[in-house]
Structures are given as structure tokens and as C-alpha cells.
Amino acid sequence: MQQILHPICLALAVTGFLLLCWPPRHLRQDRALAALAGVYGFSALSFLVSLEPVWRLLDDITGRPSTGILGAFGSVVALLALQPVVLAYWALPPEQARKRARLCLAAGAVVILALAVLFFQLTPAGRSTPQGFTANYLHTGAYQAYLTLYIVAYTIGETVLAVGCWTAARRTDQVWVARGLRVVGVGAVLTFGYSGVRLAGVGSSLLDLTPPSAAAENFAWICADGGTTLTLAGFFIPTLAVHAVPQTRAWLRAHRDYRRLAPLWKAVHHAMPTIALQPSRADAVTGLRVWDITWRLYRRAVEIRDGQWALQQHLDESVRSAAEQRRRAAGLTGVELADAVTADQLRAALAAYSRGESPQRPTEYADAATREDVRTPDDDVRALLRIAVHFTSAPAAPDAQEAAPSWT
């Protein structure tokens, strides 16, 4: 049963680990996400070293039989220590979360160290298989202490996880997060069946009673691997709700904004190619940007602003006055009026730049007074999007239409 269930759980854990680790910079920014990636990573490691081919390979590498049991138990304790860290960073203020994380990680390290000390007290009894290791060593005092320590730590860890998940699920107002946490809690409770069978095995050995049957052994692994599967799946639901879905939305929004700024950027870039940090590429290529779209969006905004600043010496008061009258007559006021007039000024300035004309009465952009509200790159992108809407839809002034360069 173990060798059937472990590959399934391994595939799930590896998939979750790889998804959580991309892109890597998110792990540095989000400690909960980093801890959760550790949960999936150690879970994958625990299943990997318990596969019989890997188990035997570790025996050959280390020269000591059944080293895989130390790797498996140590990995499980590590993920048990990381699970409450995830919940702490999700549910507690940062300072309290850091204290909880240090406590959990310290407790996990102590248990792993104790397991390592007890493991090396075992007298090697020749090669064994992952599923036969417990039966071969259960009669020895060192392994009884080793297994009891592990099961007690395992049960405490899963109990803390179950209680923490149900508590957090009641407090959150996000439906999918609550559902995911409840799934994790059910998975944690299911693992108690594994703990019960293992403690019964230790008790039967101490009292010289009949050890648990093969059916009980299969039940133990169903509880352990089934509970782990629910835990991994449940943790991924809030991860999708809190991280993946918002990131996907932000990525799609960045692509949309990048395309919406394209006509304005092309117009400025056509007149002033030097504003571009990188050589211009065909639209079919720039439309395929995937991973660095946010950086490219911000870069496009900076380049538009650079061009706007360079065109400032071609702004004429007469163009601004005429644009303000026309836009006010159309019912525009406030920020929208300033953005629309700025779009008209840019059109006229591009035409004047192409003819090499200087203004008779210099002026500034109509949106200059609103730039105090621009504090972040996202603010600047939103401001330019408002200008771009009027730039692509508004008619140019008559003299600008006659000499405007063809950029569309």
C-alpha cells in the first residue's frame, strides 16, 4: 500500500512545490508563501526517500542500512514545524508571526536532532525495505523510543494544524480560504489513524502482544497518505485565492494596459526613437511578452513621460486655450478635462516638432497641476491611460491634422 500511495503523493507535492516557487522573487517578499513552499518541498522529500529504489540507493551511498527512515521522519517533522508558520503569517500581526515561527522552527529542530541521536543508537540489522523496517526493529528499545518520539511529535503537529486551520477558517471572510483551511483540518485529523496504529504497535511490542495486522498497516498508510493529500490540496486552495488569482489578474491587467498605451507610445516613439531603452520590435513580438510584462509596462510609461518632457518646448498657449474651450464645451471638467487637453497638446506638439516650429507663447501641460497625486508607478500608468484614451479618440486641431506624422 505504501509503495502505491507514495508516488501519487510525491507527484502532488512536487507539483505544488514547483508552482509555489515560480517566480522565486515572491518567496523573498512573502514569508507565508516561502514557508508553504517548504511544506511542499519537505513533503516531496519524505515521499521520495521512502520509495524503495531511493531507499536502497541511500543505503549504498551512506553505507548504513535504512538511512531513508531518518530522512523521511526528519522531513515530516520539518514540514510539521512549517505548517503553523504558514498559518501564523496568514492570521497574526507580523511581530507575533515571527515569534511563533521562531518557536515552531526551534521545536522542530530539537525533535529532528533527537531523532538523529536515537537513529544512530540502532544496531544495523541488515538491509530492509521501507514497508518492513518497523517490523524488523520494533522489538528494540532504541527504535521504540525513536518511533514514540516521532509519533508524539507527529500527533502534536497535526493537532496544532487542525485547531489552527479551523480557528483561522472561522475568522476569515474569504470563502475559498475558509474552505481550503477546513480541508487541511480534515486531512490533519485523518492522520490520527496512522498515529494510533503506530502507537498500538509500540504498545503491543512492550507488552508482548500480537502486533497490528497487515490490514491495520494498510489502514495506517491510507490515513497518513490520504491525510497528507488532503492537507496539500487544502493548502493550495487559499494559495490560489490569496496569491495565484490576484497575480494572474495583475498580469492580465498589465498586458491590457501595455496594449492601451501602445498608440500613445508609438506616436511619441515615432518622433523620438531615442526615448526607447531597447530597440523597437514588431507588434507581434511585443504582444508575446510573458514574465516581464510589469517591468515593460512601467518602462513604457517612463518613455512616454520622457517624450512628453522633450516635447514641452513645442507647447503653445493658443493650442491649450482652444483645446480647453472645446473640451469644456463637450462637458469635461476637473482631471478628465486636464487629461483630454494634455492629449490635444501632445498631438499639436508632435506636429510642431516634426515641422521644427517653436511656440509663440510657451506654456505647460494641462496635467501638470494633477501630477502631485502621482506617487507610484501604478499611479503614473493610470494617469497616462486616461491621456491615451483621449489621444486615440479625440480629433486633433486643424493645423495639427495637416502636418501630423503617420504613426497609426
Side-chain angles (χ1 to χ4, degrees):
M1 182 63 68
Q2 180 197 45
Q3 296 301 301
I4 296 174
L5 295 175
H6 274 23
I8 299 174
C9 296
L10 174 62
L12 177 62
V14 169
T15 301
F17 177 74
L18 294 177
L19 290 174
L20 289 170
C21 286
W22 188 263
R25 66 176 181 275
H26 290 160
L27 300 182
R28 296 192 295 269
Q29 300 167 354
D30 191 329
R31 294 187 179 183
L33 196 64
L36 189 57
V39 170
Y40 280 83
F42 281 115
S43 181
L45 183 61
S46 70
F47 291 121
L48 180 64
V49 298
S50 298
L51 296 178
E52 192 163 342
V54 180
W55 182 282
R56 294 189 180 280
L57 179 62
L58 287 175
D59 288 354
D60 295 336
I61 293 174
T62 62
R64 182 182 179 88
S66 304
T67 309
I69 196 70
L70 179 60
F73 282 14
S75 298
V76 171
V77 172
L79 72 89
L80 289 172
L82 286 170
Q83 286 172 342
V85 173
V86 176
L87 295 179
Y89 279 110
W90 277 351
L92 298 177
E95 186 58 34
Q96 293 183 29
R98 283 191 289 269
K99 291 180 180 179
R100 179 75 59 85
R102 287 193 290 267
L103 177 63
C104 293
L105 294 177
V110 170
V111 173
I112 292 173
L113 179 60
L115 287 174
V117 171
L118 289 172
F119 174 79
F120 287 106
Q121 300 300 313
L122 297 176
T123 302
R127 283 183 178 271
S128 67
T129 61
Q131 54 269 40
F133 179 83
T134 295
N136 291 341
Y137 284 88
L138 191 56
H139 63 281
T140 65
Y143 184 67
Q144 290 167 357
Y146 179 85
L147 184 59
T148 301
L149 172 62
Y150 170 72
I151 294 301
V152 169
Y154 183 82
T155 305
I156 292 174
E158 296 293 359
T159 302
V160 170
L161 178 63
V163 173
C165 285
W166 286 330
T167 301
R170 287 195 302 269
R171 292 176 178 175
T172 183
D173 56 356
Q174 300 184 55
V175 176
W176 283 104
V177 172
R179 290 174 180 173
L181 291 174
R182 290 191 182 101
V183 171
V184 174
V186 172
V189 171
L190 184 58
T191 62
F192 293 166
Y194 171 81
S195 300
V197 172
R198 286 288 172 264
L199 290 176
V202 174
S204 64
S205 178
L206 290 173
L207 300 174
D208 292 327
L209 301 176
T210 304
S213 63
E217 183 70 14
N218 289 336
F219 174 75
W221 286 116
I222 290 173
C223 290
D225 288 2
T228 300
T229 301
L230 288 176
T231 298
L232 294 177
F235 263 132
F236 213 71
I237 293 173
T239 302
L240 288 173
V242 175
H243 298 282
V245 172
Q247 288 169 10
T248 301
R249 287 175 178 169
W251 182 81
L252 292 173
R253 184 168 56 250
H255 267 280
R256 179 200 64 193
D257 294 346
Y258 186 80
R259 291 192 302 270
R260 288 180 176 178
L261 287 178
L264 177 57
W265 179 85
K266 288 177 183 178
V268 179
H269 178 260
H270 178 87
M272 301 177 173
T274 56
I275 65 170
L277 179 65
Q278 298 175 342
S280 178
R281 298 189 180 184
D283 289 347
V285 176
T286 57
L288 296 176
R289 302 298 182 191
V290 178
W291 303 118
D292 58 349
I293 186 61
T294 301
W295 182 88
R296 291 185 177 278
L297 173 63
Y298 292 158
R299 183 63 223 173
R300 173 162 283 186
V302 169
E303 291 171 357
I304 292 172
R305 288 300 191 191
D306 288 345
Q308 186 180 1
W309 177 83
L311 290 168
Q312 188 165 352
Q313 59 184 317
H314 298 281
L315 299 180
D316 196 290
E317 176 62 32
S318 62
V319 173
R320 177 172 178 173
S321 298
E324 286 178 346
Q325 291 178 6
R326 186 171 63 254
R327 296 295 186 172
R328 281 199 178 96
L332 301 186
T333 59
V335 174
E336 188 176 6
L337 173 63
D339 294 333
V341 172
T342 300
D344 291 341
Q345 288 180 284
L346 278 170
R347 281 183 174 276
L350 285 166
Y353 175 79
S354 67
R355 297 192 297 264
E357 296 178 352
S358 298
Q360 296 180 355
R361 290 184 298 163
T363 188
E364 63 180 4
Y365 286 105
D367 72 335
T370 66
R371 292 189 197 172
E372 294 181 358
D373 298 329
V374 176
R375 296 184 174 87
T376 67
D378 288 329
D379 292 339
D380 199 32
V381 168
R382 285 191 290 271
L384 286 172
L385 285 169
R386 295 194 301 268
I387 295 173
V389 169
H390 295 288
F391 184 86
T392 55
S393 62
D399 60 334
Q401 287 179 331
E402 295 174 0
S406 175
W407 53 69
T408 58

